[in-house]
């Protein structure tokens, strides 16, 4: 019997953001693998086994899930947001490439989800309306100087930048450093969007100018969108401002 492994995106938190395809894949699984807080969001189905692991154990989790599938089970590995964005789909592919032939014989499905930057952008307007890129600020899997070079290149080239993994207990100084770096390329008033726990009960979205972004509160559940020179803030009476980046390129001098 050949097993099946689905890597399922749960979206940012709100159950309305879980796609019907993801719900079906979760309901059909015999075994679920994932980080505890993500598995807690998955509706319970009788007869399913849950394997909870720490968020740092992605390779081991992927290998365990693949082994179970290679033994003939129908397995789902869950990720918050989209599984292909700084998440489990790449970890599963790494294990498939490095692992035994039985992993490459498996039926694999990657089920997309709404990634955090899209959920945050939708709350505030259209900051990703023109060219943009996404960076993880975590230096667990890449050296800090690579992150700084990429920030320089992205801001210098006029991209709006979505920053995933801005801070954690083990990484307290990286966000401040990144904001200082971005100030070399962008005006002090450049809008920076902080979206925290979007789609959850404690959601909070705010906009601050780049020169004050260093001290704005952020944590592991925060996604930051740094505007480009073209990004605009539209103030509205009695309503929160709209932040957007016009569709047409604006000629800017550095
Ligand atoms: N695969 C996930 C990202 C995993 S990296 C996705 O596609 O969204 C984890 C980072 O995602 C967090 O540090 C934070 O920057 C962001 N994030 C995840 N869920 C979020 C949410 N509900 N609101 C804001 N940011 C979120």
């Amino acid at each position: 019997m050949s097993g099946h492994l689905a890597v399922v995106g749960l979206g940012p938190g709100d159950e309305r953001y879980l796609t019907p395809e993801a719900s079906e894949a979760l309901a059909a699984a015999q075994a679920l693998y994932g980080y505890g807080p993500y598995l807690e969001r998955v509706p319970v189905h009788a007869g399913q086994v849950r394997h909870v692991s720490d968020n740092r154990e992605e390779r081991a989790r992927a290998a365990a899930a693949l082994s179970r599938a290679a033994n003939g089970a129908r397995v789902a590995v869950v990720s918050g947001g989209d599984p292909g964005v700084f998440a489990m789909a790449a970890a599963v592919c790494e294990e498939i490439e490095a692992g035994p032939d039985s992993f490459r014989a498996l039926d694999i499905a990657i089920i997309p989800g709404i990634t955090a930057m899209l959920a945050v952008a939708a709350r505030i307007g259209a900051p990703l309306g023109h060219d943009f890129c996404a960076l993880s600020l975590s230096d667990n899997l890449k050296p800090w100087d690579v992150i700084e070079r990429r920030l320089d290149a992205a801001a210098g080239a006029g991209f709006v930048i979505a920053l995933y993994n801005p801070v954690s207990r083990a990484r307290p100084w990286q966000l401040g450093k990144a904001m200082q770096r971005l100030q070399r390329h962008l005006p002090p008033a450049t809008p920076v969007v902080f979206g925290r726990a979007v789609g959850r009960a404690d959601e909070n979205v705010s906009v601050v100018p780049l020169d004050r972004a260093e001290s704005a509160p952020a944590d592991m559940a925060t996604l930051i969108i740094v505007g480009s020179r073209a990004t605009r803030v539209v103030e509205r009476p009695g309503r929160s401002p709209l932040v957007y980046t016009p569709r047409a390129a604006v000629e800017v001098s550095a």
Side-chain angles (χ1 to χ4, degrees), residues 44 81 103 184 186 208 227 240:
V44 174
F103 286 5
R184 295 184 184 183
L186 296 165
V208 296
S240 55

Side-chain angles (χ1 to χ4, degrees), residues 5 16 43 45 63 67 94 98 105 150 152 180 198 216 228:
L5 185 132
R16 292 171 306 169
H45 292 279
S67 298
E94 288 167 21
R150 289 181 185 169
D152 288 343
Q180 285 166 12
V198 166
S228 69

